[in-house]
Amino acid sequence: MTEALLEIKDLKTWFKTDDGMVRAVDGVSMTIARGETLAVVGESGCGKTVTARSVLKLIDMPPGRFEAGQIVWRGRDLIPLPAADMDKIRAREIAMVFQEPMTSLNPVYTVGDQIAESLRTHHGLSRKESIDGAVEMLKLVQIPNAERRVHDYPHQFSGGMRQRVVIAIALACKPQLLIADEPTTALDVTIQAQILELLGDMKAKFGMAIMLITHAMGVVAENAQRVVVMYAGKVVEEAPVEELFGNPRHPYTQGLIRSIPRVDARTRGHARLEQIPGTVPSLLNPPAGCRFANRCRFATDPCRDSEPPLRQVAPNHKVACIL
Amino acid sequence: MNTQTAPLLSARGLTKHFAIKGGIFAREVHRIHAVDGVSFDIAAGETLGLVGESGCGKSTTGRCILRLIEPSSGEVWFQGRDVTKLDADALRGLRRDMQIIFQDPFASLNPRHTVGGIIGEALIIHGLSRTRAELDDRVVQLLETVGLQPDHRHRFPHEFSGGQRQRIGIARALAVEPKLIICDEPVSALDVSIQAQVINLLEDLQEKFGLTYLFIAHDLSVVEHISDRVAVMYLGRVVEIAPSRELYDNPRHPYTEALLSAVPIPDPLVKRKRIVLQGDVPNPIRPPTGCRFHTRCPIAEARCSQEVPELEQSSDGHWVACHLRR
C-alpha cells in the first residue's frame, strides 16, 4: 500500500440523546491510500454515514461529539482543527456526494450558481470565469446542452441528472478524496449504472481517492478495491475486494454475501436464501462482547464476554472475530 | 397467452390515465399515460413478477387490479368475474380474496392502533370471528404464522423494526385467507439481511396456503429469485413476459437486456459487458410515438418511431413487444 491519504484511528463519535449516549461510531479505524476506492458497507444504523460525516466534521455538535480518536488527513489531525481551517479542506481537498440528489441541491439557485459558488469561494474566480467553469464541469459530467442547462434550476433536472450536478459541484475544486455516501441508492438501476460509470471515469481523469459508502454488495464488488464491513458502530472485517467476496471470514460478512439473491447463474432455482436471524442491536446499550453474537450461528460464551479485537488473518485482511 | 388451466386473474388492456387539471375551470391540461393497455394472466399458485423502473406504472397496475385506483378502461377477470364492473358491495366481498402488502412498513400501519387491532380489523369487517375469544385466538395464530410473538398483539407499530412491521403487514393480509396477494415492493425498504427473512417467509406462506402472488419490485435479483414468470414494464406498457429463468438467460427486448446488464453482481470475479442506456425515461405526459423505448434503444430503426409493436409470442411462453427481436 502506498502512502495513506486519510487515516481514521479509533474514532468514537457519540450522540447524546434523552435516552442516553448513542455510540454510533465506536472505535473505528480505517485508511485510504491515494487514488484508491474504499467501500464502506453495512446496514442502516451501522455507523457508516456518521463515520463519513465525521471526516468532514459535518456532525452537529451537540448532540454529537468526538469521544476519542484521530482523523489524520495528510499528516494532520482534523479533530482539533478550527472551523476556518476546516473550511479550506472541505470541497478543496475532501468533497462529498450525498444520497439524495433532491435535497442536497438548493432549489432557489440555478445549478450553474451552485457550481460557480464553489469555484468562487475556493479559487477566487470572478463571476464570469466561474460560470464558464460551471459549464465546463457540466460538460465533464456529460449533461447535454451544458451552456443552456447551466441556467436551469434543480427541479428542471431528473434524479440522475441532479446526481450528475452534485458530482460536478463536488469535483469542481478537484479534491483528492471524494466521499460518496450512497450516491446511487435513490436511483433506478439503469441510472445507477450511468452514475457509477461516471464516477469511474472521473476517478480515472482526476486520480482522486473515493470512499464509497453503500449497503449494496453488488455495487461494492464492481467498484471498490478494498472493503470495510461495519456492524453496529464497529469495523468487523477489512479486506481487498476479491479476498472479501472469495474468502469472507466474519460470520456477518458471510451472511451478508449469501443473503442476496443474484441474477447470474449461482442461485438458480428456488434455493432458499440464507438469512441472518434477528435485528441489529440498539446502539444505546450495545451488548457486551461481540455485537453480532446474538445473531451469530457460531457464537459461544467467550464471544458474549469480551469484545473481539480486529486482528490480521492474511495480508491486508483483518477480521474482528475470535473464531 | 393461455395457460393450460384457467388463470386465477387475467388483466386485459388495463389502462389508467391520470388527468392533470389546471386553469380557472380546472380543465384537463395534461394526461399522464401511467398504464397503457397492460394484459397478463396469473395462474393459481403462481408468482408473477412485475419489474420496471420508477414511473413505469407497475404499482398503478397493482392498484388498478384491486381497484384501489379506478382503471380508465380495460378488464380484470378474477374467478370468472370482471372486477372493474363490480359495485361497492361485491367489491368488498372480493377484497377477501385479494389482498395487498405495501412497500413502506412505516406508513402502512396505523400508529394509533395496536398490532392486534390492525390484524383483527379485517376479521371483524368480514365477520370472520364471532366472539372476542375467537378473534384473539386467530390474531395469535396469525402472529405465530409470520414469526412474531403472541404478546406482540398488545404493542403499537412504532415498537417494531422495519422487518417486523412488514411481518405485521403480511399477517394483516393473511387474516382474511386471500387467494391472491399483491406484493407492492414488499422488501425494498428493508436491509439486505432482513430482506432475506421476509422473502423466505413469503415463499413459506405461499407453499403452506397455496397463495398466488403478483410481486411488484424494481430489484431484478429479488424478482428473479421469487417469481415463476416475470413481466417487464416500460412507460406504462409490458415489453416482455417470460418464465423467470428464460427471461434472465435469454432476454429478447433491448430494454430487458439493458436492465439486466445494469444490475451489479456481488462477485468481483464476474466481469460482464454492461449496456449503459443513454438518457432518462421520457415524460409519460408525452410518451414517444411508436415503440416507447425507441428514444433510448441502441438498435432502433425508422419504423420503431412510427408503429407500436404488439406483444407477440416468440417461443413457448415468451412474449415480447419489439419489431426487431422476435
Side-chain angles (χ1 to χ4, degrees), chain A residues 44 158 188 190 194 268 276, chain B residues 53-54 191 197 224 277 280:
Chain A
S44 346
S158 66
D188 279 315
T190 60
Q194 291 174 359
R268 279 302 155 81
I276 305 175
Chain B
E53 298 180 279
S54 347
D191 273 317
Q197 293 175 5
E224 188 264 353
L277 288 179
D280 294 312

Side-chain angles (χ1 to χ4, degrees), chain A residues 43-44 158 161 188-194 197 215 217-219 221-222 241-242 245 256 259-264 266-279 295, chain B residues 53-54 161 191-194 196-197 199-200 203-204 220-222 224-228 245 248-249 259-260 262-270 272 274 276-280 296:
Chain A
E43 298 179 278
S44 346
S158 66
M161 285 294 158
D188 279 315
V189 276
T190 60
I191 309 298
Q192 165 171 292
Q194 291 174 359
E197 192 182 68
H215 67 275
M217 290 306 252
V219 171
E222 297 192 354
V241 70
E242 293 84 7
F245 283 89
L256 214 50
S259 65
I260 341 168
R262 296 172 51 161
V263 289
D264 58 336
R266 313 261 169 98
T267 59
R268 279 302 155 81
H270 278 274
R272 259 180 98 77
L273 292 177
E274 202 169 300
Q275 60 187 50
I276 305 175
T279 49
R295 300 177 73 188
Chain B
E53 298 180 279
S54 347
S161 67
D191 273 317
V192 274
S193 71
I194 309 298
Q197 293 175 5
I199 292 171
N200 285 343
E203 288 185 334
D204 291 346
L220 284 100
S221 19
V222 169
E224 188 264 353
H225 177 83
I226 200 167
S227 306
D228 299 307
R245 202 172 291 202
Y248 286 82
D249 286 343
L259 203 57
L260 281 173
V263 179
I265 290 189
D267 186 344
L269 302 176
V270 177
R272 291 173 309 163
R274 170 154 299 157
V276 176
L277 288 179
Q278 297 307 308
D280 294 312
R296 300 172 78 197

Side-chain angles (χ1 to χ4, degrees), chain B residues 232-287:
Chain B
V232 182
M233 282 185 77
Y234 184 77
L235 266 182
R237 294 224 177 105
V238 171
V239 297
E240 189 162 4
I241 302 185
S244 176
R245 202 172 291 202
E246 163 77 5
L247 185 87
Y248 286 82
D249 286 343
N250 185 19
R252 297 271 169 82
H253 199 283
Y255 177 64
T256 313
E257 214 173 37
L259 203 57
L260 281 173
S261 85
V263 179
I265 290 189
D267 186 344
L269 302 176
V270 177
K271 296 278 178 251
R272 291 173 309 163
K273 195 172 158 283
R274 170 154 299 157
I275 305 162
V276 176
L277 288 179
Q278 297 307 308
D280 294 312
V281 179
N283 190 336
I285 291 174
R286 281 173 293 275

